[in-house]
Amino acid sequence: MTSAIRLPGDPPGGRRAVAVWSLGVAVYFVAITYRTSLGVAGLDAADRFGINASALSTFSILQLLVYAGMQIPVGLLVDRLGTRKVLTLGIVLFTVGQLGFALSHTYATALASRALLGCGDAMTFISVLRLGSRWFPARRGPLIGQIAALIGMAGNLISTIVLARLLHDIGWTPTFAGSAVGGAVVLTLVLLFLKDHPEGYAPEPPPRHHAKGFVRRQIAAAWREPGTRLGMWVHFTTQFPAMVFLLLWGMPFLVEAQGLSRAEAGELLTLVVLSNMVIGLVYGQVIARHHRARMPLALGTVAATALTWGAALFWPGGHTPAWLLITLCLVLGGCGPASMIGFDFARPANPPERLGTASGIVNMGGFTASMVTLLAIGVLLDLTGDRYGIAFASVFVLEAFGISQILRLRGRAQRRERERVVASRVETVHVPA
């Protein structure tokens, strides 16, 4: 159970903290809307650019490749430059990427636009985590992280409800170009109002000399912590099934393999997002009060996902009943909140000045798994003649690998964390109020 004792250097929180942090979360909300917009436009993109399943999956693969590759550099940038500068750059990049995607008429320019979008998107979530750690007490970290992810996932509702309807009513270019207005709005608000930290709570300045040595030491120190690596593998194993489903392949699977209409498929994708938001609140509250619940929640989510995913794919007769598709979408809603548990392992393992770098390492996990699975599904669909059962079974391979790494690291990470908690409490007792 987390301690209610306020540690030395803890920021005060309060209304101003909520206001500033909410502005950062609004940026993440817009980024998620742009990231997931292809999930409801996959079939439209295939028609617009005349591409097959493998080429279609390349959109999301490239976007996630850029996103995952940027995580450690972004973490270093956040630690070195602060949240405001990194978020500003991210907004400019993902807004230009979304606008470019709207205006693209060729496959190559559309790919370049999604890569640019992925680069800007990569700068948002780690920045929001850093913002929360600078404005709220450490004991609020798990809940603050889950709420940030919850609100960000609400951006997925814009994709599944609003953008899907607009695509049908007004077409490709007006829909995507119009959505780029959101980026311009949050850019203005960030420039006017966002602050990196409360007055009097500035972090220690990073070293100014031997920058290359600093980067190497920062990454190496974060990676040496078993809590960082455990967090990465938790994120790897839990996040990607829902990400793959929402980002690209859920709509084609429900329409082409299950015979649903686009409207019905959109409702099920919306159900994933709503489930994510509810489960995120529950997980955040539970973990904030009972830190030992982190691992059971993570592994339980993986088990539930594998069970329902397998049942939906291999239901006798080949046609999955509606109640099972609904159950699958409800269970997939737990993947995002479970992936946030990875940050709750990395956070206590690293000092504040290294948190951005450690968060970047963790965040690489799920997006790397998503990228590999998106590619595998696209290739297998082309090789098997759109047999979704075989293609989607690739999920089990990555889940099994991720679980093996979690089980290998969890003992070391937990022992190390107990040592740090004891040291923190001793320090708190001996620091004058």
Side-chain angles (χ1 to χ4, degrees), residues 85-413:
K85 292 179 180 178
V86 176
L87 270 184
T88 299
L89 179 58
I91 295 168
V92 171
L93 291 175
F94 68 57
T95 303
V96 172
Q98 185 77 342
L99 184 59
F101 195 58
L103 302 176
S104 295
H105 292 282
T106 66
Y107 181 57
T109 56
L111 275 178
S113 297
R114 295 306 286 187
L116 196 61
L117 192 157
C119 186
D121 182 17
M123 299 182 178
T124 58
F125 190 60
I126 292 176
S127 298
V128 172
L129 288 179
R130 167 71 172 235
L131 197 65
S133 71
R134 290 302 183 195
W135 281 90
F136 291 97
R139 67 181 183 276
R140 302 295 185 195
L143 183 59
I144 290 299
Q146 288 286 0
I147 293 175
L150 180 155
I151 297 173
M153 279 302 295
N156 217 320
L157 291 177
I158 302 299
S159 296
T160 57
I161 298 175
V162 179
L163 292 185
R165 177 66 61 86
L166 290 175
L167 273 170
H168 180 268
D169 292 342
I170 64 176
W172 181 282
T173 299
T175 296
F176 284 102
S179 68
V181 174
V185 172
V186 293
L187 176 61
T188 302
L189 293 175
V190 164
L191 291 174
L192 290 176
F193 301 113
L194 192 129
K195 302 290 185 183
D196 284 340
H197 49 76
E199 289 78 4
Y201 290 87
E204 290 293 326
R208 294 293 180 184
H209 303 291
H210 308 297
K212 290 184 179 179
F214 166 75
V215 169
R216 185 174 61 252
R217 289 192 300 273
Q218 188 85 335
I219 296 173
W223 181 257
R224 276 196 300 268
E225 290 292 343
T228 303
R229 284 175 281 143
L230 177 62
M232 184 192 74
W233 286 112
V234 168
H235 199 271
F236 177 101
T237 311
T238 54
Q239 186 204 45
F240 76 97
M243 177 68 69
V244 167
F245 200 78
L246 287 172
L247 199 60
L248 184 61
W249 290 120
M251 179 71 77
F253 167 72
L254 295 171
V255 173
E256 296 179 348
Q258 299 301 321
L260 302 183
S261 67
R262 288 199 183 197
E264 292 169 331
E267 290 172 358
L268 286 177
L269 294 179
T270 301
L271 186 61
V272 177
V273 179
L274 293 175
S275 173
N276 181 295
M277 296 170 71
V278 173
I279 294 174
L281 280 177
V282 174
Y283 279 18
Q285 292 282 0
V286 171
I287 294 170
R289 288 170 170 78
H290 308 283
H291 236 41
R292 292 181 181 177
R294 291 172 299 173
M295 189 58 68
L297 285 176
L299 293 179
T301 302
V302 174
T305 302
L307 180 63
T308 52
W309 191 274
L313 291 183
F314 304 114
W315 189 263
H319 187 74
T320 307
W323 66 266
L324 184 52
L325 290 176
I326 293 172
T327 303
L328 173 64
C329 290
L330 290 172
V331 171
L332 286 176
C335 292
S339 72
M340 291 297 299
I341 297 173
F343 298 102
D344 294 327
F345 283 110
R347 188 182 297 109
N350 293 274
E353 62 271 15
R354 204 169 63 216
L355 186 57
T357 304
S359 298
I361 293 173
V362 172
N363 214 25
M364 285 180 64
F367 289 95
T368 301
S370 298
M371 179 177 59
V372 172
T373 309
L374 284 166
L375 176 61
I377 291 175
V379 170
L380 288 171
L381 284 174
D382 285 337
L383 291 176
T384 61
D386 293 340
R387 294 182 64 179
Y388 280 88
I390 295 175
F392 274 32
S394 58
V395 165
F396 301 124
V397 178
L398 271 74
E399 284 188 326
F401 180 67
I403 289 173
S404 70
Q405 299 302 309
I406 291 171
L407 296 179
R408 181 177 66 87
L409 287 165
R410 68 172 180 174
R412 276 180 283 172

Side-chain angles (χ1 to χ4, degrees), residues 26-91:
V27 177
Y28 181 54
F29 174 90
V30 175
I32 288 287
T33 302
Y34 292 175
R35 179 200 300 173
T36 58
S37 57
L38 185 61
V40 296
L43 298 176
D44 300 87
D47 291 338
R48 181 179 178 87
F49 303 114
I51 53 178
N52 61 14
S54 296
L56 179 61
S57 66
T58 303
F59 276 123
S60 296
I61 292 167
L62 178 61
Q63 184 179 335
L64 293 183
L65 177 63
V66 172
Y67 187 103
M70 286 289 294
Q71 289 309 293
I72 292 178
V74 167
L76 291 165
L77 283 174
V78 170
D79 286 338
R80 198 168 186 84
L81 301 179
T83 300
R84 185 173 182 270
K85 292 179 180 178
V86 176
L87 270 184
T88 299
L89 179 58
I91 295 168

